[in-house]
Amino acid sequence: MKSYLLMIFASIVSMISAVSIYDIQYTTDSGTGTYPSTYASQIVSTSGICTGISFNNNSGYFLSMPEGGAWKGIFIYDSSNAPLVGDLVELTGQVWEYNGWTEIRTVTAFQVVSHNNTIPEPVSISTASINQEDYESVLCKTVNASCTQSLDQYNQWMINDATGEAMVAGGFFNQNAISDLIQIGNLYTNLTGIISYSYNTFRLNPRNNSDVVVSQNSQTVVIPSQEALLNTEITIPLNVNNLDLSSNYNSFQFDFQYDPQILSFNNFSQINTLSSNGTAMISNQSNGLFHLQFISNGMISGTGSLINLNFQTMNAGNAFLNATNFNLNDTPFYVIQGNVLVINPDQTEYPDTITVIQRPLLNIPAICIPGENINIECVAPTSTQNWAVSIVRKNANIPMQINSANYQNNPPRWVINVNIPNVPLFEMYDLKVMASGGIEDISKHAIHIIPSRKTSYYFAHVTDVHMPTHIFWPETGYDTDSTETVDFREVIKDLNIIRPEFVLLTGDLVNQGENEELDNLHWYSKAQRLLTEFEVPVYLVTGNHDIGGWDEQPPPDGTARRNWWKFFGWSWLNNPDPNYPYHTQDYSFNYGSIHFTGLEAYDNYDNWWSNIYGSQSFTNQQTQWLQDDLFNYPADTKVLFYHYDFSDQINLNSLGVSLALWGHIHQDQGSLNQAPYSLATESTCDGARAYRIIQVLNNMVIPFPTLSAGSAGNKISLSFFPSNIALSDSVTASLTNAQSLDFDNALVKFNMPPGDFSYTCQNGIIEQIERSPDKNVCYVRVNILHYESKTISLWKSGVPNSDYTESPSPLIFSLPYPNPFNNSVKINIDNLKNNYIIAEVYNIKGEKVCDIKQSGLKSGQTQIVWNGKNNQNMFCSNGFYFIKTKIGKVSHTSKVLLMK
């Protein structure tokens, strides 16, 4: 028997080969797409130094032989073990070919032999070599490569060092976090990363920001993001970087686009710019567009403002500014970065502090259905009488029936029970209360009235906004910078179109909660006003930056927390008695049968009221309140949201919680595959512009990977033709969803001329119409799939829809198919009305490579077909191309990938 067991053991050992990474990877046997390993499907033991971790949402890590080099790296598909970069690892697993990518999976033995080993030097290769099998899973670097395509919807971009184009991807981190470094034309003195393979393409994956080193010689033109007040003059510079004198530039021209509803163009200025010595002139000026041409008396070179454009701000809102068709001399210049100009109302609106109404509030709203009863909580003297409550939207003031009004002592407040009335529009409403003694108060966006609660829907998680800037007092720019406000507005724009049922915002709304009255900064005032730009309810909880306090700042201890109470908190929290039970702002609400609980979290930096707040994340009073709250609402599904558990006080399993959402760490963390889910979402600030969507299906929560609004704010884009300014009886909207998720509740608002008209809609469903003397706003629900562009048309019933000067035809462009392609790609066009079609193909440099000939066009449907050849009937090289189709005044651009 013993002899028999030894034979079995020897047999098993012979099946497990101890081989090097090089042996696993190297082969000359060409297979389909890439070279398969000769060890494919075999169980092997190998070892290597870890060069990269947390790849593709923690699905695995990379190992390398100590010396590095071709064929000496491999990907380990393993989420059970977590080595650190520099660890020497020994493991046993199965060699696998995953769509051509050699990896090791099903790890059965794992051991970290030693830590802090020297990481292999990155192999210096050309961009063309990135596309070679030799360097699959190897740590590599390119030198002096240029960006040839900026970030696309897949979080990828392209580089070239003149040897061939290669793709850069975000396998280790969201590339939107470094979007300012990813601009067409940027030169990278060093671009390091590990090469992966998927979808028939090799990709270089930087591991962190320091892997991307931009040369100071990169040539770019940037329109900076700015903020301005209403009814003021604003100067917009076109900032240029490193124009080379040897290029002999002596002229430039461009088309400039802006929003005429928000800005009025005044003039330009050449003083103290690179164009101070020469002549500039404006031509082809129209509503929201002009052409500027400049001829120099010498050469144009250097870094600075190329020219300054002067505007007058007319209305509050966001205006996207962009320069197109930019030419230096007669050479197209493609490194143009547009940006958003934010126009704020006059600061005389500040501050709007909480006075009477304590709940519902802008930051703790109520979602209601007509006929329901809700409680309004107010602070007023016990002798107050004659309460009157109403909801307000624009010029409408709708009274609410009061069922009861009672004064309660713990905490001290009036509780007024009211009935939700029928409303002409399901929307966000301000809450207004009046009473004896001259009491009058309005809580903005406090009540959202909906027709019914859904059992299947989605909501959003947003965190770590750090408005208006991540620059700390008293560093340079802390009082003028507003880049985080711009980032937040891009997220708001996306969510207003996506239209989740509500948003959970888990703190660090402002960067320093003490900066309200300090230097007249009004940070809380600005943040409060910005929240009103959401068109869906927002539930807000505190973060450590909101209420923590800084000893280094001039305001006294406790200022940050007191500022929070002024704008978002409850008056009864300001009680120094440690035995008083209410010192933190904790609340809960129900949507259907799901219970949501929000907790105040903090890190008591200035040690204010330490006998109450101590040094933990949550006080003992809070944890007791939490247990009582969850016990009193025995819902099947419970969701917690808070900024961060600084002291590890929350146990989701013991609390019976299905999902916890939090932030603070400015990156994603947590598993999407195992409940209860404890998930951190990446920050909104610092260019990440992140948000997470959580799907609810029959009371079951399904969290999705974090999304980003994109560095250019184009991941969810919406445009109109003609302009959506209530002047045309027929308007077409182009909606693009470049995100990876479908949205079945997206909203497009069409502004139409006023009147008692009915409307016809194509590719959308008219939900309701808000009529006023100024305009009719038609709410159109759209179901838009991931990576889809959709054309939605709305016109007044009975009005012909064929006059292009007023109302373009509701043309429908299909997605290119197949894409990627290697033979031909097709785009179908529906609802053609015998119009002349111009179809052109451009490469990523903006050069036209092909005119697509069309013939025999008929009404109904036609098809654009490109065979991958240029105008010389030669096959184009592999890469991305843009097919631009013009039909009358309608244009449509599709992005395709040619892979021969």
Side-chain angles (χ1 to χ4, degrees):
M1 185 68 175
K2 181 177 180 182
S3 175
Y4 178 67
L5 291 174
L6 287 173
M7 290 174 62
I8 294 175
F9 178 75
S11 177
I12 293 174
V13 170
S14 67
M15 293 170 59
I16 304 176
S17 306
V19 296
S20 70
I21 294 173
Y22 181 89
D23 292 334
I24 297 170
Q25 287 282 27
Y26 181 75
T27 178
T28 57
D29 179 18
S30 178
T32 303
T34 63
Y35 294 82
S37 170
T38 56
Y39 286 85
S41 301
Q42 295 186 39
I43 297 175
V44 300
S45 292
T46 192
S47 64
I49 293 175
C50 182
T51 55
I53 60 175
S54 303
F55 187 75
N56 275 357
N57 295 319
N58 296 317
S59 66
Y61 45 91
F62 290 87
L63 298 183
S64 170
M65 298 181 70
E67 66 273 20
W71 307 103
K72 295 181 180 180
I74 195 164
F75 177 61
I76 313 298
Y77 182 74
D78 173 27
S79 59
S80 299
N81 301 293
L84 301 175
V85 172
D87 283 356
L88 176 59
V89 172
E90 291 181 352
L91 56 80
T92 300
Q94 186 180 28
V95 179
W96 195 261
E97 288 292 331
Y98 184 73
N99 295 327
W101 188 12
T102 304
E103 60 184 38
I104 294 178
R105 58 169 54 193
T106 316
V107 175
T108 56
F110 176 92
Q111 180 183 4
V112 175
V113 179
S114 60
H115 300 290
N116 301 319
N117 295 282
T118 301
I119 300 170
E121 279 293 318
V123 183
S124 184
I125 61 174
S126 67
T127 53
S129 297
I130 291 175
N131 300 304
Q132 294 178 195
E133 173 80 5
D134 317 34
Y135 299 105
E136 177 186 275
S137 301
V138 174
L139 180 63
C140 299
K141 70 176 180 181
T142 64
V143 177
N144 294 331
S146 296
C147 177
T148 56
Q149 178 191 303
S150 58
L151 275 173
D152 63 15
Q153 66 266 37
Y154 306 105
N155 202 27
Q156 302 165 162
W157 45 295
M158 306 296 287
I159 56 173
N160 197 331
D161 62 359
T163 65
E165 200 166 48
M167 182 177 290
V168 184
F172 289 102
F173 69 104
N174 191 336
Q175 302 290 279
N176 281 291
I178 55 169
S179 58
D180 56 327
L181 305 180
I182 306 172
Q183 303 296 331
I184 296 176
N186 273 6
L187 181 68
Y188 303 95
T189 54
N190 192 321
L191 186 57
T192 303
I194 299 177
I195 297 173
S196 64
Y197 182 82
S198 58
Y199 296 99
N200 300 318
T201 305
F202 289 98
R203 295 164 164 82
L204 181 71
N205 297 269
R207 298 162 299 171
N208 48 52
N209 295 19
S210 61
D211 275 349
V212 182
V213 182
V214 181
S215 168
Q216 296 302 310
N217 296 322
S218 297
Q219 294 187 356
T220 57
V221 173
V222 176
I223 302 168
S225 62
Q226 295 188 69
E227 262 192 269
L229 293 177
L230 188 62
N231 300 319
T232 58
E233 289 190 1
I234 178 73
T235 297
I236 306 297
L238 266 69
N239 292 330
V240 66
N241 185 47
N242 292 317
L243 282 190
D244 191 352
L245 180 62
S246 65
S247 299
N248 296 320
Y249 295 133
N250 61 6
S251 69
F252 62 82
Q253 59 179 314
F254 58 86
D255 294 324
F256 197 86
Q257 299 172 336
Y258 62 95
D259 189 339
Q261 300 302 307
I262 295 179
L263 297 172
S264 173
F265 177 63
N266 290 341
N267 50 42
F268 59 85
S269 173
Q270 299 170 238
I271 299 174
N272 296 324
T273 70
L274 301 183
S275 61
S276 59
N277 185 21
T279 303
M281 62 179 181
I282 298 290
S283 62
N284 299 331
Q285 188 169 358
S286 61
N287 203 22
L289 180 69
F290 60 82
H291 182 80
L292 188 146
Q293 186 170 8
F294 171 79
I295 299 177
S296 176
N297 296 331
M299 293 296 122
I300 309 170
S301 64
T303 295
S305 174
L306 194 60
I307 196 165
N308 293 329
L309 306 174
N310 301 316
F311 292 86
Q312 178 76 23
T313 63
M314 301 189 302
N315 288 296
N318 300 346
F320 187 75
L321 310 175
N322 197 23
T324 60
N325 300 321
F326 200 104
N327 282 265
L328 283 164
N329 290 356
D330 294 324
T331 304
F333 190 72
Y334 301 102
V335 199
I336 308 296
Q337 180 184 338
N339 236 315
V340 174
L341 172 66
V342 178
I343 310 301
N344 294 318
D346 191 277
Q347 289 196 16
T348 55
E349 291 190 2
Y350 303 148
D352 183 14
T353 57
I354 292 175
T355 54
V356 178
I357 301 173
Q358 305 290 304
R359 185 171 181 181
L361 298 167
L362 166 67
N363 52 297
I364 313 176
I367 302 176
C368 311
I369 298 171
E372 289 183 339
N373 295 327
I374 67 167
N375 287 332
I376 310 296
E377 300 184 28
C378 297
V379 172
T382 57
S383 59
T384 304
Q385 300 177 358
N386 303 323
W387 287 98
V389 183
S390 62
I391 52 175
V392 178
R393 180 175 171 83
K394 297 182 179 178
N395 295 324
N397 190 325
I398 304 172
M400 304 176 78
Q401 175 186 319
I402 296 179
N403 301 321
S404 62
N406 299 305
Y407 189 83
Q408 298 187 5
N409 288 309
N410 196 17
R413 72 207 189 280
W414 281 88
V415 178
I416 306 165
N417 186 266
V418 299
N419 183 264
I420 300 298
N422 292 319
V423 290
L425 189 77
F426 295 110
E427 253 290 6
M428 299 291 300
Y429 287 85
D430 299 340
L431 174 65
K432 182 177 181 180
V433 299
M434 299 178 66
S436 62
I439 290 175
E440 181 174 342
D441 190 24
I442 291 180
S443 180
K444 294 181 179 179
H445 287 214
I447 294 182
H448 188 215
I449 300 182
I450 59 177
S452 62
R453 290 182 182 85
K454 303 171 183 176
T455 57
S456 296
Y457 58 94
Y458 45 81
F459 64 93
H461 178 219
V462 175
T463 190
D464 293 272
V465 181
H466 289 270
M467 283 195 296
T469 176
H470 218 159
I471 301 174
F472 289 83
W473 179 94
E475 298 171 7
T476 302
Y478 84 97
D479 54 344
T480 58
D481 181 69
S482 58
T483 53
E484 309 311 347
T485 300
V486 175
D487 288 340
F488 192 34
R489 275 197 163 104
E490 289 300 329
V491 172
I492 293 174
K493 183 201 72 174
D494 272 20
L495 293 176
N496 283 344
I497 296 174
I498 292 170
R499 195 170 50 158
E501 292 301 292
F502 49 85
V503 175
L504 305 180
L505 204 168
T506 54
D508 281 3
L509 178 66
V510 298
N511 194 45
Q512 288 177 288
E514 293 171 312
N515 293 359
E516 175 60 29
E517 297 177 356
L518 176 66
D519 294 340
N520 205 31
L521 292 173
H522 298 299
W523 280 12
Y524 265 127
S525 300
K526 293 176 180 179
Q528 183 191 54
R529 177 165 42 80
L530 204 66
L531 289 182
T532 65
E533 296 182 14
F534 274 106
E535 297 176 2
V536 296
V538 180
Y539 292 90
L540 172 66
V541 292
T542 64
N544 54 296
H545 280 252
D546 300 316
I547 62 175
W550 278 263
D551 289 333
E552 297 84 358
Q553 288 201 256
D557 293 345
T559 296
R561 197 180 288 266
R562 292 181 189 275
N563 283 340
W564 179 274
W565 294 340
K566 286 180 183 179
F567 291 92
F568 301 115
W570 300 321
S571 61
W572 53 75
L573 299 177
N574 190 10
N575 188 323
D577 182 356
N579 297 315
Y580 184 70
Y582 305 105
H583 288 108
T584 55
Q585 190 176 33
D586 311 301
Y587 62 91
S588 60
F589 68 96
N590 294 325
Y591 188 99
S593 59
I594 298 185
H595 187 65
F596 295 85
T597 302
L599 294 175
E600 175 178 301
Y602 57 88
D603 202 347
N604 197 8
Y605 294 141
D606 54 10
N607 204 31
W608 188 62
W609 285 6
S610 58
N611 60 330
I612 293 174
Y613 296 114
S615 58
Q616 293 183 303
S617 306
F618 310 106
T619 65
N620 292 334
Q621 294 170 333
Q622 276 184 283
T623 55
Q624 184 59 55
W625 176 91
L626 175 62
Q627 293 174 16
D628 294 342
D629 175 76
L630 297 177
F631 178 79
N632 292 329
Y633 293 93
D636 292 335
T637 303
K638 299 175 183 179
V639 176
L640 286 185
F641 59 104
Y642 49 86
H643 183 63
Y644 188 67
D645 183 3
F646 290 92
S647 307
D648 295 325
Q649 295 172 265
I650 292 178
N651 185 306
L652 300 186
N653 286 306
S654 64
L655 292 171
V657 170
S658 303
L659 168 67
L661 295 167
W662 44 283
H664 182 68
I665 61 175
H666 292 216
Q667 63 183 15
D668 292 338
Q669 185 169 303
S671 172
L672 296 173
N673 302 316
Q674 185 175 359
Y677 307 104
S678 180
L679 300 176
T681 298
E682 191 172 5
S683 63
T684 296
C685 67
D686 299 328
R689 301 180 175 184
Y691 55 92
R692 187 190 298 275
I693 298 296
I694 298 91
Q695 181 82 45
V696 177
L697 294 175
N698 297 321
N699 299 321
M700 180 176 65
V701 290
I702 305 171
F704 289 105
T706 296
L707 304 176
S708 170
S711 59
N714 58 352
K715 291 302 182 75
I716 304 286
S717 59
L718 179 64
S719 60
F720 296 88
F721 184 84
S723 297
N724 195 32
I725 54 177
L727 293 179
S728 176
D729 288 330
S730 179
V731 178
T732 291
S734 296
L735 177 61
T736 298
N737 175 19
Q739 302 286 19
S740 58
L741 298 181
D742 303 340
F743 301 109
D744 58 9
N745 194 44
L747 178 65
V748 178
K749 291 184 179 180
F750 288 86
N751 296 320
M752 310 298 285
D756 190 20
F757 305 120
S758 59
Y759 298 91
T760 301
C761 183
Q762 186 170 43
N763 281 341
I765 298 174
I766 302 174
E767 291 184 336
Q768 56 185 349
I769 303 173
E770 183 179 28
R771 302 179 190 272
S772 71
D774 299 325
K775 60 184 177 183
N776 290 348
V777 181
C778 297
Y779 288 60
V780 175
R781 178 167 60 85
V782 179
N783 183 351
I784 186 164
L785 303 178
H786 61 290
Y787 307 137
E788 180 184 28
S789 294
K790 180 171 283 190
T791 302
I792 308 102
S793 294
L794 184 82
W795 61 93
K796 188 170 71 175
S797 297
V799 176
N801 200 42
S802 58
D803 183 359
Y804 272 93
T805 62
E806 295 293 335
S807 52
S809 299
L811 295 167
I812 302 173
F813 294 82
S814 72
L815 292 176
Y817 180 82
N819 192 17
F821 74 102
N822 60 10
N823 186 14
S824 64
V825 62
K826 305 175 181 65
I827 302 171
N828 292 325
I829 306 172
D830 288 328
N831 299 330
L832 187 69
K833 298 183 182 297
N834 288 324
N835 287 286
Y836 181 68
I837 294 181
I838 300 174
E840 303 165 327
V841 181
Y842 294 82
N843 62 21
I844 61 172
K845 296 181 179 180
E847 300 164 340
K848 185 168 71 172
V849 299
C850 180
D851 296 285
I852 301 177
K853 305 295 190 298
Q854 297 293 324
S855 61
L857 300 178
K858 298 180 180 179
S859 296
Q861 185 182 84
T862 192
Q863 194 174 73
I864 300 292
V865 181
W866 182 44
N867 60 6
K869 296 182 179 181
N870 59 22
N871 282 334
Q872 288 73 45
N873 203 34
M874 302 289 291
F875 280 109
C876 296
S877 59
N878 289 347
F880 286 99
Y881 293 87
F882 300 90
I883 301 177
K884 185 173 183 179
T885 308
K886 300 178 182 178
I887 305 175
K889 292 186 177 181
V890 176
S891 65
H892 180 86
T893 302
S894 300
K895 184 178 179 180
V896 298
L897 176 60
L898 173 62
M899 297 186 66
K900 298 295 291 183

